[in-house]
């Protein structure tokens, strides 16, 4: 018989955005909303994870978003909302990306720089995060499904309670 595909209602791992600005201490920004969309294709899940963060402060911030990918996942895309439009990023070599990021910051535009940090964790530098505004970040990746007997599973875990993500702000 054909293996049965099941997708659990949980979360890969929580991403977080820490930020600071002129005269402000480094702080973790509130998560306004998380949307996880996983499309099963054969033995893999094509996954899109959207995080929306909120800057409740009175100052413009620059932040670092960290997101651990599931085991065996391959990052396939990045987008960030700029002036109400979702702008697709480009995956390029590290030094080229860093130089481009610095040039865009110097031009006072809205850059994002995604880098591999360690293990399965990626970090994304985000600027600017305007006061009393939301910042939306979308990552796309392909992850292998896990086998258990004759079934395939997309394994991810629920965010911790301290993130304050009730069912109305978390969609899987």
């Amino acid at each position: 018989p054909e293996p049965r595909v099941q997708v659990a209602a949980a979360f890969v791992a929580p991403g977080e955005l820490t930020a600071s600005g002129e005269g402000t201490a480094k702080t973790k920004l509130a998560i306004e909303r998380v949307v996880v969309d996983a499309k099963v294709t054969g033995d893999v899940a094509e996954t899109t994870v959207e995080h929306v963060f909120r800057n409740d402060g009175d100052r413009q911030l620059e932040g670092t978003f960290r997101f651990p990918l599931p085991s065996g996942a391959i990052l396939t895309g990045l987008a960030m909302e700029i002036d109400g439009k979702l702008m697709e990023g480009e995956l390029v070599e590290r030094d080229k990306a860093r130089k481009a990021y610095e040039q865009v910051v110097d031009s006072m535009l809205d850059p994002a720089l995604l880098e591999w940090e360690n293990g399965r964790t990626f970090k994304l530098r985000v600027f600017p995060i305007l006061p009393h505004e939301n910042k939306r970040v979308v990552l796309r990746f392909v992850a292998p499904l896990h086998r258990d007997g004759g079934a395939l599973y997309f394994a991810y875990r629920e965010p911790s309670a301290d993130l304050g993500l009730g069912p109305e702000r978390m969609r899987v």
Side-chain angles (χ1 to χ4, degrees):
E2 205 48 44
R4 194 168 138 226
V5 176
Q6 296 183 358
V7 177
F11 186 56
V12 170
E16 70 175 31
L17 179 59
T18 54
S20 61
E22 222 174 282
T24 65
K26 192 176 204 177
T27 185
K28 195 185 305 188
L29 295 188
I31 298 177
E32 188 68 25
R33 182 176 68 248
V34 175
V35 177
V36 178
D37 180 43
K39 178 180 158 195
V40 174
T41 305
D43 288 355
V44 299
E46 297 172 14
T47 306
T48 300
V49 181
E50 173 184 300
H51 284 77
V52 177
F53 295 94
R54 184 178 64 253
N55 176 2
D56 289 326
D58 295 325
R59 295 183 186 258
Q60 176 175 288
L61 303 174
E62 179 171 8
T64 302
F65 171 67
R66 286 184 171 79
F67 184 83
L69 290 178
S71 181
I74 298 169
L75 187 68
T76 58
L78 155 75
M80 186 170 77
E81 188 170 2
I82 300 171
D83 294 329
K85 292 174 80 177
L86 198 58
M87 304 296 288
E88 291 296 321
E90 181 181 350
L91 300 177
V92 297
E93 187 271 329
R94 179 180 291 220
D95 288 336
K96 180 179 177 182
R98 189 167 299 190
K99 286 176 187 168
Y101 178 87
E102 297 301 335
Q103 288 174 344
V104 172
V105 168
D106 291 344
S107 303
M108 294 304 292
L109 298 173
D110 293 5
L113 175 63
L114 179 72
E115 298 178 282
W116 171 72
E117 188 171 49
N118 61 45
R120 299 183 322 239
T121 302
F122 282 81
K123 70 177 182 178
L124 174 68
R125 290 172 55 191
V126 180
F127 176 83
I129 307 166
L130 299 175
H132 306 287
E133 296 277 333
N134 288 342
K135 184 59 87 173
R136 180 167 59 138
V137 177
V138 178
L139 292 176
R140 287 181 302 285
F141 56 90
V142 175
L145 296 170
H146 300 281
R147 287 196 179 277
D148 185 6
L152 295 171
Y153 294 90
F154 180 61
Y156 48 102
R157 70 184 151 110
E158 296 176 7
S160 61
D162 65 330
L163 290 178
L165 283 175
E168 70 283 356
R169 293 187 10 213
M170 173 78 188
R171 190 173 76 225
V172 179

